[in-house]
Amino acid sequence: MSGSWEAVIGLEVHAQLLTRTKLFCACATSFGAPPNTHVCPTCLGLPGALPALNGEAVRMAVRTALSLGCTIKEESRFARKNYFYPDLPKGYQISQFDEPFSEGGFVEYEVEESGERAKDAPPVVKRARLTRIHMEEDAGKNLHDLGGGSVVDLNRAGTPLVEIVGEPDLRTPAEAAGYLRALRDVLVFLGVNDGNLEEGSFRCDANVSIRPAGSSALGTRVELKNINSFRFVEKALAGEIARQKDVVESGGRVVQETRGWDEKTSSTFSLRSKETAQDYRYFPEPDLPPLHLDDAFVATLRASLAETPRVKRERFVAELGLSPYAARVLTQHPRVASFFEEAATLGRDAVAVANFIQSEVLRDVTTRGVDASFPVTPGQLVEILKLVSQGKISGKQAKELYAKAKGTTASPAALVADLGMSQVSDPAAIEAACAKVVADNAKQAEQYRAGKTGLFGFFVGQVMKATKGSANPQLVNETLKRLLGG
Ligand code: ADP
Ligand code: MG
Ligand code: ZN
């Protein structure tokens, strides 16, 4: 029976724009600052204080919309969304409602097929349409059970957000997670959002319904609120889809409501039903004029857009010869991607650069939002790889050299000299080392000659051990083959 249902999912994402100041006042945006230290008459909603729109927030919102293929409306408007809650001191939120600044657009995303897909297979790329993107201000934060009571922190009140509303084009929890990841990547690479789900600067409400497979009508939807990790999005959606199937298959009817996700019980629970839903009594914000975005302004922003992460990934594969897997790893963060690109430009072998970053450098990289810090510079990395390609040091020594260069400004070439590190490429020295290993392991040599060729690696390993990893591996291979008669 369960095979006969299809899920329909549409996501609403709220993303905090990385402006220095709030959307309608000059207060600094802040996270983790002492409570209520970034507030003023405007964001406190004091009588007589007027909002003034933040130009940088508008530029970031428009760049977001352009990157996602949206149409920019020349005229849009802000509205008051009225509701009464302690974290909203004005008694209303300023948001765009029926006249948003952008419409349409799409998210191109990759789906992780569970398990089976080979690591290096090209990704499955899908597209989901967007309904609209609009700007709005964030609310403050209520904190409960602090010293026995509830308190409010208004530092976040008035922080600029874009709300990105998706069409109900997604069909599985895995697609929803892929869509969210792709959307977050686009925003983080644009530098307009820090992509932090845990801190709530990128948050998602997931709408989900089920319908008989093959049907084109939409079922009654349930909204899952504020899910703060990609893993939870998938789990919460899967749990909710299963619940809806149970309801319908046992003769019930799904009711339109808002539900939360309980990680402990792995199930969703009701927060509020349609009947208790708010009437927001929207009306145009009288304190702000309509927003005009003229063609020249939009064209300038369009010209400033960089490659999206997905296009970057495709280029790394097509032009630089990386595997799809490596391309994905190196575009996990904008600063990692630019570190790789800088090193690949300085060096001659992009694949070698990519391999070294993946095997050594990445584990020492720390990221914080859109920032990242690296243990070496692209220049130092390229210098290390150059020493390898010139045959001056072995691959193993390159890793040791990297470990020495970490956190310093030293030139790797100078370090090689200081450390007395150099690869043994002298045929006589290698011949002597190989001959000794063959003589010391006469039994294995006999077995090898009798056809147990799998032992070859053993001999290479012994020579490398004896030379502390400094022997030129190609020379070792050739010499051993000759001595063993392979
Ligand atoms: P609201 O503003 O009340 O949240 P909308 O009608 O604008 O409601 O829809 C919001 C989101 O719900 C959109 O992302 C949309 O794709 C999704 N959605 C709408 N109808 C359905 C449905 N029947 N099943 C799943 N998702 C839906
Ligand atoms: Mg909604
Ligand atoms: Zn303020």
Side-chain angles (χ1 to χ4, degrees):
M1 184 74 192
S2 60
S4 59
W5 297 103
E6 171 181 71
V8 173
I9 301 165
L11 304 181
E12 295 165 276
V13 167
H14 285 90
Q16 187 179 317
L17 296 173
L18 286 173
T19 53
R20 227 169 23 80
T21 56
K22 294 185 182 181
L23 188 53
F24 299 116
C25 63
C27 291
T29 53
S30 60
F31 184 87
N36 300 310
T37 52
H38 297 284
V39 292
C40 74
T42 300
C43 57
L44 287 175
L46 299 185
L50 290 173
L53 183 59
N54 180 336
E56 185 58 14
V58 174
R59 282 188 286 276
M60 286 185 173
V62 172
R63 284 168 60 223
T64 302
L66 289 171
S67 287
L68 295 165
C70 307
T71 306
I72 307 297
K73 309 297 271 184
E74 192 176 339
E75 182 172 306
S76 64
R77 206 179 283 274
F78 286 92
R80 289 189 182 181
K81 179 180 183 179
N82 299 280
Y83 64 99
F84 296 91
Y85 208 58
D87 62 12
L88 195 71
K90 293 197 292 288
Y92 59 85
Q93 176 192 28
I94 304 179
S95 174
Q96 294 195 303
F97 174 53
D98 53 352
E99 295 176 77
F101 80 93
S102 86
E103 287 175 359
F106 55 87
V107 174
E108 264 178 342
Y109 63 97
E110 296 171 9
V111 193
E112 298 278 356
E113 309 283 353
S114 51
E116 297 307 293
R117 187 163 71 89
K119 207 172 153 197
D120 270 349
V124 179
V125 178
K126 295 189 174 177
R127 194 182 257 216
R129 294 166 300 157
L130 293 176
T131 313
R132 59 189 275 166
I133 301 181
H134 70 250
M135 280 176 267
E136 63 185 32
E137 59 176 339
D138 207 348
K141 228 178 198 166
N142 293 323
L143 303 158
H144 303 291
D145 300 324
L146 279 186
S150 290
V151 293
V152 65
D153 175 8
L154 295 170
N155 283 347
R156 202 181 63 182
T159 295
L161 302 176
V162 278
E163 177 170 347
I164 303 165
V165 183
E167 289 285 299
D169 284 352
L170 305 163
R171 296 290 173 267
T172 64
E175 286 186 5
Y179 169 101
L180 270 188
R181 285 203 171 86
L183 188 53
R184 185 184 69 164
D185 280 359
V186 167
L187 302 192
V188 172
F189 271 71
L190 272 177
V192 302
N193 177 258
D194 67 13
N196 195 324
L197 276 74
E198 292 74 33
E199 289 178 1
S201 46
F202 182 95
R203 29 186 214 270
C204 161
D205 300 335
N207 298 271
V208 56
S209 59
I210 59 167
R211 65 185 176 191
S215 156
S216 59
L218 288 173
T220 303
R221 75 183 153 109
V222 161
E223 183 181 47
L224 303 175
K225 270 281 178 211
N226 290 337
I227 317 170
N228 70 350
S229 84
F230 290 113
R231 207 164 50 85
F232 288 178
V233 168
E234 274 194 83
K235 284 168 70 173
L237 280 168
E240 176 58 20
I241 291 165
R243 188 194 67 87
Q244 291 186 14
K245 283 179 190 167
D246 281 351
V247 168
V248 176
E249 285 175 3
S250 58
R253 193 175 59 83
V254 173
V255 295
Q256 189 172 339
E257 62 181 342
T258 300
R259 298 178 73 89
W261 166 248
D262 184 349
E263 172 63 6
K264 283 191 211 76
T265 61
S266 280
S267 60
T268 64
F269 60 93
S270 185
L271 286 167
R272 58 177 181 269
S273 71
K274 175 78 176 165
E275 284 67 46
T276 56
Q278 299 264 2
D279 172 4
Y280 293 117
R281 297 179 299 115
Y282 280 100
F283 63 89
E285 167 60 63
D287 291 339
L288 287 166
L291 175 62
H292 283 277
L293 301 171
D294 64 43
D295 290 348
F297 175 80
V298 175
T300 308
L301 291 175
R302 193 188 293 280
S304 77
L305 294 178
E307 231 170 15
T308 64
R310 222 180 61 74
V311 170
K312 210 180 260 304
R313 267 198 287 284
E314 282 172 358
R315 184 168 57 78
F316 286 179
V317 172
E319 290 176 17
L320 301 179
L322 266 54
S323 69
Y325 177 77
R328 174 192 301 278
V329 171
L330 294 173
T331 52
Q332 63 185 254
H333 190 278
R335 300 279 294 105
V336 169
S338 52
F339 181 90
F340 162 68
E341 284 195 86
E342 212 177 303
T345 310
L346 289 172
R348 263 178 309 172
D349 184 349
V351 173
V353 168
N355 287 342
F356 201 84
I357 293 176
Q358 287 179 91
S359 70
E360 304 303 310
V361 182
L362 274 185
R363 84 172 87 95
D364 300 318
V365 175
T366 51
T367 60
R368 165 87 197 149
V370 289
D371 297 323
S373 62
F374 292 83
V376 293
T377 64
Q380 285 173 306
L381 170 62
V382 167
E383 203 175 313
I384 292 172
L385 294 176
K386 194 169 158 201
L387 291 165
V388 177
S389 67
Q390 290 171 337
K392 295 199 173 137
I393 58 171
S394 68
K396 183 161 177 286
Q397 288 173 323
K399 294 179 181 185
E400 290 166 21
L401 184 56
Y402 163 75
K404 297 282 184 209
K406 252 179 359 192
T408 75
T409 54
S411 141
L415 278 179
V416 162
D418 289 353
L419 296 166
M421 200 183 253
S422 65
Q423 174 167 274
V424 178
S425 293
D426 170 16
I430 287 183
E431 171 109 20
C434 291
K436 179 161 184 342
V437 164
V438 171
D440 288 352
N441 297 280
K443 208 170 108 209
Q444 284 86 344
E446 197 180 305
Q447 289 171 340
Y448 176 86
R449 290 186 182 112
K452 207 171 165 193
T453 53
L455 279 172
F456 192 71
F458 162 78
F459 287 102
V460 175
Q462 291 300 308
V463 174
M464 287 318 227
K465 207 168 136 193
T467 58
K468 299 196 173 64
S470 67
N472 178 324
Q474 203 188 329
L475 218 49
V476 170
N477 272 290
E478 289 165 10
T479 311
L480 279 173
K481 284 226 170 86
R482 183 160 46 72
L483 293 178
L484 289 165

